[in-house]
């Protein structure tokens, strides 16, 4: 059967309580709501709704008193019997579960306040409905209108007979839901550009990710089974290069831990259809509840995790389970008289701590952290720490590890070329920082972010690693053999002669058809940290008061840092790309709107329309995906005698070029990693301009196919 021949979805939208009476549904279907018999088509609809597996979306809305926008509370489920499931939710779950207690209260106040979409299809089977349920959770998590999203399980299925029909069936369902209610169900391109969508726990995992997750869940069960015998903390490293799905795995794993390991105080036996028809929910004793947290030392990503955790009911408010490491360390520390935690004096232990971007953890103190090593402080406050780590994304001297620690934590024998991808090592004793732990590792290797062929990914890897610049390969994408349509568009690598033209090209990619608003699409320009920036105060040396990325082109066509004498300088908000020989755009977080001090806690830099004219950095973009990324490479990256050279004198990043204890320099590695992070943000395309003339010439030759092989 071709995709075009698939049956269209059947979607009914009814007051929630009406489903308890089949006659009410028949009346909803009847054109005149009279005594006329139902047509054959209408009886077929009833058959697929009442006698087939269905997916349902229960929703209630209220107006946000601050914004006047509608906010939805949503529950997504699937069932083999929609009538029985509705009765269970109304009569049983409303007595024992907080989510259904809230719906019940609203129904008592107003029977029309809770509605339900019931989704049927002639091809629905159990596996298909579970996949549709899971993806609805995935998409609705990215809907700004959804304040609370309930379900408490992830259901992405493996292979099954009709699995090849799923994408088309779901796309048809979402298209129709969007037509009926575009506020609750935004256009797919809006959803897919959401940071919440990209970090969602409802992604379908790869075989390697699934194997890693199951192994980690098993290791957690073993760890807590041995609690009485062994109080030694355990450390699991999840390793992998940028774009290998580490964040997705961590998010998925955290959701499973919270919903399956008594973290939230409930056991919901929702995997068994029969069990759901009876009251199987029991409250876990307070002493049995486990404590789990997800940490990341990155302001933007903490916001994303906080939104996910709050929407899914994993926390009531921000910073309860999703924290920065310093917040967590303070929470589990003895306090000074002024309430500040003492890192060297742990107090209590969490059960499980997951750390995203663990390469951002500090290995020395600073103004905001008085400890000596964040990972050590976390291990002293948790029974199990699961840490995502990529040494090629360490960007600052304060994040660098001593060689002795590196050898203990990351032995070379673990890097085996991928033979053990997704497999968890056996726990081995680890003696480090004067304490004893148990250590294991798992590695992810499949590239998910960069949607390109192997040759293109290798070219980006080689350039990002500073190994060389070979001819840029031509990616032809992937086509469906039957239809000839692209199932993966060709990945674009383009080298620009001008930063102005690069910016214009990225702006075109950022235009989102679904909204008609420039800047909503997830494409942005970023740059190496080679222009001065101090966001804590205005820039008195610039007429616009901004800290800008500024360049000019001379009469010979060469670009230089800064501005030529006599030129009208500064960012021109009315026509920022009007002068082809002058480039000036503010760094991230510089442009204010409506007198705001900056982005709100729930806003992500790359998603905010007003940031389109800013230049991002590793501080705003590390860990996030962009559809297309434009990278301006400043003078800290040069090309000399056929080799890529990193020049710390060209960098303004004092955290990258500072010496450890005033003696040891990591500048070369830090600057190389900075380039690595920036070049690997784009999913569908990478646009580049280099300030260094020799590097720019080498890239142009590579684009022409005349460069020497790396």
């Amino acid at each position: 059967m071709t995709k075009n021949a698939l049956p269209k979805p059947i979607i009914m939208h009814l007051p929630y309580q009406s489903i308890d009476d089949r006659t009410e549904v028949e009346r909803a279907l009847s054109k005149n709501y009279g005594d006329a018999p139902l047509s054959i088509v209408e009886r077929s609809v009833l058959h697929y709704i009442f006698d087939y597996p269905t997916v349902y979306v229960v929703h209630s809305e209220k107006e946000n008193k601050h914004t006047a926008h509608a906010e939805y509370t949503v529950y997504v489920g699937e069932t083999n019997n929609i009538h029985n499931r509705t009765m269970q939710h109304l009569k049983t779950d409303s007595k024992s579960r907080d989510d259904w207690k809230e719906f019940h209260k609203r129904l008592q106040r107003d029977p029309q306040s809770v509605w339900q979409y019931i989704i049927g299809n002639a091809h629905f089977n159990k596996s298909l409905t579970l996949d549709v349920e899971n993806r609805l959770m995935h998409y609705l998590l990215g809907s700004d209108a959804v304040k609370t999203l309930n379900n408490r399980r992830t259901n992405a299925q493996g292979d099954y007979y009709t699995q090849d029909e799923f994408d088309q069936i779901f796309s048809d369902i979402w298209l129709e839901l969007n037509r009926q209610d575009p506020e609750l169900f935004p256009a797919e391109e809006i959803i897919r550009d959401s940071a919440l969508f990209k970090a969602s726990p409802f992604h379908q995992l790869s075989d390697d990710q699934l194997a890693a997750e199951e192994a980690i869940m098993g290791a957690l069960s073993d760890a807590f089974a041995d609690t009485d015998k062994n109080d030694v903390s355990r450390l699991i490293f999840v390793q992998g290069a940028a774009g290998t799905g580490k964040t997705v795995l961590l998010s998925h794993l955290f959701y499973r831990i919270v919903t399956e390991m008594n973290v939230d105080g409930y056991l919901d036996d929702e995997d068994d259809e029969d069990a759901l028809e009876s009251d199987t929910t029991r409250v876990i004793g307070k002493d049995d509840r486990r404590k789990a947290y997800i940490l990341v030392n990155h302001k933007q990503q903490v916001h994303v995790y906080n939104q996910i955790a709050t929407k899914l009911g994993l926390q009531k408010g921000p910073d309860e389970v999703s924290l920065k490491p310093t917040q967590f360390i303070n929470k589990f520390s003895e306090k000074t008289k002024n309430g500040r935690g003492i890192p060297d004096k742990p107090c209590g232990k969490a059960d499980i701590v997951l750390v995203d971007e663990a390469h951002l953890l500090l290995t020395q103190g600073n103004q905001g952290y008085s400890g000596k090593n964040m990972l050590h402080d976390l291990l002293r406050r948790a029974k199990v720490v699961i840490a995502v780590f990529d040494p090629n994304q360490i960007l600052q001297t304060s994040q660098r590890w001593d060689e002795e620690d590196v050898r203990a934590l990351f032995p070379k024998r673990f890097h085996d070329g991928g033979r053990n991808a997704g497999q968890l090592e056996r726990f081995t004793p680890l003696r480090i920082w004067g304490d004893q732990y148990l250590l294991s590792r798992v590695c992810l290797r499949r590239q998910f972010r960069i949607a390109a062929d192997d040759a293109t990914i290798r070219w980006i890897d080689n350039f990002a690693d500073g190994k060389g610049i070979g001819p840029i390969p031509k990616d032809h994408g992937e086509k469906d053999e039957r239809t000839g349509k692209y199932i993966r568009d060709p990945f674009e690598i383009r080298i620009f002669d001008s930063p102005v033209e690069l910016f214009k090209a990225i702006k075109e990619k950022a235009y989102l058809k679904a909204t008609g608003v420039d800047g909503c699409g997830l494409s942005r320009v970023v740059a190496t940290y080679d222009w001065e920036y101090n966001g804590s105060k205005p820039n008195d040396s610039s007429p616009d008061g901004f800290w800008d990325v500024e360049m000019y082109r001379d009469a010979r066509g060469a670009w230089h840092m800064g501005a030529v004498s006599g030129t009208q300088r500064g960012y021109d908000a009315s026509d920022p790309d009007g002068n082809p020989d002058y480039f000036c755009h503010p760094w991230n977080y510089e442009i204010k709107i409506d007198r705001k001090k900056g982005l709100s806690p729930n806003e992500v830099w790359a998603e905010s329309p007003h940031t389109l004219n800013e230049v991002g950095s590793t501080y705003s973009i590390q860990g996030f995906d962009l559809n297309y990324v434009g990278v301006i490479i400043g003078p800290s990256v040069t090309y000399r005698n056929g080799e890529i050279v990193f020049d710390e004198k060209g960098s303004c990043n004092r955290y990258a070029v500072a010496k450890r204890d005033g003696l040891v320099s990591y500048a070369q590695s830090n600057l190389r990693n900075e380039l690595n992070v920036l070049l690997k943000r784009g999913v569908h395309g990478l646009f580049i301009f280099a300030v260094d003339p020799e590097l720019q010439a080498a890239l142009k030759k590579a684009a022409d196919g005349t460069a020497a092989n790396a």
Side-chain angles (χ1 to χ4, degrees), residues 99-155:
D99 47 3
W100 284 100
K101 284 179 183 178
E102 179 61 28
F103 279 131
H104 185 65
K105 289 178 183 177
R106 296 188 184 192
L107 284 168
Q108 286 182 315
R109 292 194 298 264
D110 179 6
Q112 295 291 310
S113 65
V114 182
W115 284 64
Q116 177 172 228
Y117 287 94
I118 306 171
I119 305 164
N121 191 290
H123 282 204
F124 267 0
N125 54 50
K126 184 68 173 179
S127 293
L128 252 176
T129 56
L130 286 169
D131 262 351
V132 171
E133 175 194 35
N134 189 79
R135 190 167 290 182
L136 279 171
M137 289 290 291
H138 193 176
Y139 274 44
L140 285 167
L141 187 64
S143 171
D144 288 339
V146 175
K147 182 180 180 181
T148 306
L149 181 61
N150 295 307
N151 176 277
R152 301 189 182 184
R153 59 178 176 176
T154 58
N155 285 324

Side-chain angles (χ1 to χ4, degrees), residues 555-605:
R556 296 177 298 174
W559 285 89
H560 305 272
M561 303 284 285
V564 67
S565 179
T567 300
Q568 183 175 349
R569 295 180 58 223
Y571 168 65
D572 183 355
S574 62
D575 190 13
D577 301 306
N579 186 344
D581 297 323
Y582 179 67
F583 179 89
C584 185
H585 282 266
W587 272 119
N588 36 213
Y589 311 120
E590 285 292 281
I591 297 176
K592 313 297 190 244
I593 56 173
D594 299 329
R595 297 182 179 179
K596 286 171 58 178
K597 292 182 179 179
L599 297 176
S600 74
N602 291 331
E603 290 180 304
V604 175
W605 178 80

Side-chain angles (χ1 to χ4, degrees), residues 468-522:
I469 305 174
I472 298 175
K474 179 75 172 178
D475 182 13
H476 298 285
E478 298 177 22
K479 291 185 177 181
D480 187 305
E481 293 181 358
R482 295 174 298 173
T483 65
K485 295 181 179 179
Y486 280 111
I487 56 177
R488 179 184 67 76
D489 290 333
F491 188 91
E492 290 185 76
I493 298 180
R494 296 174 58 186
I495 310 302
F496 284 77
D497 293 317
S498 160
V500 177
E501 294 306 314
L502 180 147
F503 222 104
K504 288 180 180 178
I506 288 295
K507 281 185 177 180
E508 290 179 5
K509 297 295 185 182
Y511 178 76
L512 202 58
K513 294 179 182 178
T515 64
V517 178
D518 284 334
C520 284
L522 212 62

Side-chain angles (χ1 to χ4, degrees), residues 170-184:
F170 182 83
S171 183
D172 291 341
I173 290 170
W174 190 266
L175 193 64
E176 177 57 24
L177 289 170
N178 170 254
R179 188 190 69 78
Q180 293 190 29
D181 189 345
E183 187 171 40
L184 178 56

Side-chain angles (χ1 to χ4, degrees), residues 160-383:
Y160 52 92
Y161 177 63
T162 54
Q163 200 273 337
D164 64 325
E165 299 178 0
F166 167 62
D167 285 337
Q168 185 63 44
I169 286 176
F170 182 83
S171 183
D172 291 341
I173 290 170
W174 190 266
L175 193 64
E176 177 57 24
L177 289 170
N178 170 254
R179 188 190 69 78
Q180 293 190 29
D181 189 345
E183 187 171 40
L184 178 56
F185 305 99
E188 277 193 79
E189 62 176 329
I190 295 175
I191 292 292
R192 288 182 170 276
D193 275 358
S194 163
L196 270 66
F197 175 87
K198 294 176 184 296
S200 165
F202 300 101
H203 282 278
Q204 185 163 4
L205 302 185
S206 69
D207 291 343
D208 288 350
Q209 289 172 316
L210 280 171
E213 182 178 73
E214 290 302 325
I216 292 172
M217 290 295 289
L220 290 174
S221 297
D222 292 343
F224 293 115
D226 294 339
T227 297
D228 295 334
K229 301 177 183 178
N230 196 343
D231 195 34
V232 176
S233 295
R234 304 185 183 208
L235 171 62
I236 300 173
F237 271 122
V238 180
Q239 294 178 247
T244 51
K246 302 184 297 297
T247 291
V248 166
L249 171 60
L250 201 73
S251 179
H252 198 278
L253 183 62
F254 184 68
Y255 191 70
R256 282 195 62 186
I257 288 168
V258 171
T259 55
E260 296 178 22
M261 298 189 73
N262 310 348
V263 170
D264 60 348
Y266 293 91
L267 279 178
D268 292 338
D269 193 9
E270 293 198 3
D271 287 333
D272 186 343
E273 179 82 18
D274 296 329
L276 266 170
E277 306 305 332
S278 62
D279 184 11
T280 60
T281 304
R282 69 178 178 88
V283 178
I284 302 301
K286 184 177 180 180
D287 293 339
D288 297 325
R289 296 181 182 180
R290 296 197 176 102
K291 295 179 180 178
Y293 299 86
I294 188 163
L295 315 178
V296 60
N297 200 25
H298 190 289
K299 184 178 179 181
Q300 291 275 294
Q301 285 178 304
V302 169
H303 293 337
V304 171
Y305 280 129
N306 263 311
Q307 289 183 78
I308 291 174
T310 303
K311 277 193 176 187
L312 295 179
L314 309 183
Q315 62 182 15
K316 292 182 179 179
D319 303 330
E320 291 180 4
V321 301
S322 175
L323 307 164
K324 293 193 75 173
T326 48
Q327 292 174 297
F328 174 83
I329 292 167
N330 186 71
K331 187 182 185 75
F332 285 88
S333 297
E334 292 185 19
K335 306 295 191 295
T336 62
K337 290 182 179 180
N338 62 8
R340 187 168 183 174
I342 306 172
D344 282 336
K345 293 186 177 182
C347 183
K349 272 192 175 184
D351 292 287
I352 305 166
V353 170
L354 295 92
V355 188
D356 199 3
E357 307 281 346
H359 37 267
L360 301 181
L361 295 176
L362 299 179
T363 58
Q364 65 181 50
N366 63 12
Q367 289 182 343
Y369 168 63
S370 59
K372 298 177 181 178
N373 186 298
M374 280 185 170
L375 181 58
H376 185 206
D377 288 332
L378 298 182
L379 283 167
R380 291 191 289 175
R381 290 163 173 80
K383 296 173 183 176

